[in-house]
Amino acid sequence: MHFSGFRVLKEALTGHKGWKPLWRNPDPQPAYDYIIVGGGGHGLATAYYLASAFEGSRIAVLEKGWLGQGNIGRNTTIIRSNYLLPGNEPFYEFSMKLWEGLEQEFNFNAMVSQRGILNLCHTDAQRDAYRRRGNAMLLAGADAQLLDREEVRAMAPYLNIDNARFPIKGGLLQRRAGTARHDGVAWGYARGADRRGVDLIQNCEVTGFRIEAGRVTGVETSRGLIGARKVGVAVAGSSSRVMSMAGMRLPIESHVLQAFVSEGLKPVIPGVITYGAGHFYVSQSDKGGLVFGGDIDGYNSYAQRGNLPVIEDVAEGGMSLMPMIGRARLLRAWGGVMDMSMDGSPIIDRTPIEGLYLNAGWCYGGFKATPASGYAFAHLMARDAPHVTARAYRLDRFARGLVIDEKGVGATPNLH
């Protein structure tokens, strides 16, 4: 089924009787060439690119619940490539380029909206740091523009620019950044993978790995043993628990990250705005609700819900930045389980077990990295070599002292 404007018009005129399910619901086969554990954005993207870009066959995605129940549907939908370090910026710019052609490639409306992201600065030192970051972005082929105070005021006059404690001195703008519909991304990749023969197997929990002579030969699941030549694990906040079944201990902590949405308001936020004096970021959905978030909860957890102190902290940050939202009603909140690595950067690498591959440690950056993560992981599994933009994301970099510490706070996951 191909989507187009003509198809929408035809279905409207014929009572919408021709729409079909976006993907099949097959039973698992006894064995596959590739098994992807995790039916979130990264797992579905990996399967899609394995089938489309690397011509892989006999591929299955195993999801313990339903597709999109995890972090892919529990985030603030931001896409961007405004990183600093050479281990990160080329990768996220590669992801940004994939975002720009994504909907046309898999023929699905993921509502990619390049409305821009503005990072505010409040001190001279912060402005200098943004200047450095902007230059690094330009060197990697991304776009960046340093704004002064009056340019920020013209873009968002309602911000608390003259705040006595945290005056806004300017900001770093990436115009190509923006937002995408998180559910649409999951559904688009799932549909695209299914159209290329990938089996998307829901309600199939992995309970163990079959390992023989140092090589993975399959996975134990709630629906029986499924053989595999290669197995890739992309399960976000559950990475430590799943990989422990293979006898591996990861340099990862799991934390809850809460997000919030307000009642619908008239259009006011031009794109995505981040507060430089506190961890607060906000955008406006197409329905008018303000979508925002802040820091992770300070304790380790596998629960998809948070606590009230973080709600208070995020609300305080929002009020400090833009007091006008004080009378807006908060409609709902949700939580995703973040796999926080020791340096705040991800892991895409082979494991010591032959045929077993790991995609984890995405911290706050998982959603924006979805296309590049899937492509790089597919490249790794198909060719047993890292993609050129993901060479720094080795699992052993912590032992070798080659960390990618984007925020410069050391091995403290809760600060990343």
Side-chain angles (χ1 to χ4, degrees), residues 97-287:
K97 288 182 169 64
L98 291 175
W99 279 115
E100 290 173 326
L102 188 64
E103 295 166 308
Q104 291 74 25
E105 180 177 340
F106 59 32
N107 183 231
F108 196 83
N109 182 15
M111 299 174 68
V112 176
S113 174
Q114 293 179 275
R115 57 187 70 182
I117 182 169
L118 175 63
N119 300 120
L120 300 172
C121 64
H122 306 268
T123 66
D124 293 340
Q126 196 171 40
R127 181 173 52 207
D128 291 344
Y130 281 0
R131 190 188 308 277
R132 180 186 175 203
R133 188 200 297 188
N135 286 332
M137 293 164 61
L138 293 173
L139 288 171
D143 63 304
Q145 181 181 355
L146 195 65
L147 304 184
D148 62 25
R149 178 190 299 226
E150 295 311 311
E151 288 173 314
V152 171
R153 193 190 302 273
M155 179 178 292
Y158 46 81
L159 296 180
N160 194 2
I161 293 175
D162 300 314
N163 184 298
R165 290 186 64 191
F166 308 113
I168 297 173
K169 292 180 174 290
L172 181 65
L173 176 65
Q174 184 182 24
R175 294 188 183 276
R176 289 169 52 243
T179 61
R181 172 70 181 179
H182 43 24
D183 294 327
V185 174
W187 299 335
Y189 273 123
R191 175 176 175 271
D194 178 80
R195 293 178 71 188
R196 289 161 176 80
V198 176
D199 283 354
L200 306 177
I201 304 171
Q202 302 177 80
N203 301 307
C204 183
E205 182 177 1
V206 171
T207 57
F209 295 91
R210 182 69 60 90
I211 300 171
E212 300 176 1
R215 179 179 182 85
V216 68
T217 60
V219 292
E220 304 279 358
T221 78
S222 56
R223 299 174 69 172
L225 173 66
I226 305 176
R229 187 168 59 88
K230 294 184 176 182
V231 177
V233 176
V235 293
S238 297
S239 297
S240 296
R241 291 195 294 182
V242 172
M243 294 306 292
S244 68
M245 301 176 191
M248 291 185 60
R249 184 179 180 184
L250 300 180
I252 283 174
E253 292 182 359
S254 294
H255 290 256
V256 179
L257 176 64
Q258 297 186 68
F260 313 90
V261 64
S262 77
E263 62 183 322
L265 305 174
K266 291 182 178 180
V268 61
I269 308 292
V272 181
I273 299 176
T274 75
Y275 193 20
H279 200 165
F280 175 84
Y281 45 93
V282 61
S283 63
Q284 190 165 18
S285 75
D286 293 327
K287 295 180 180 178

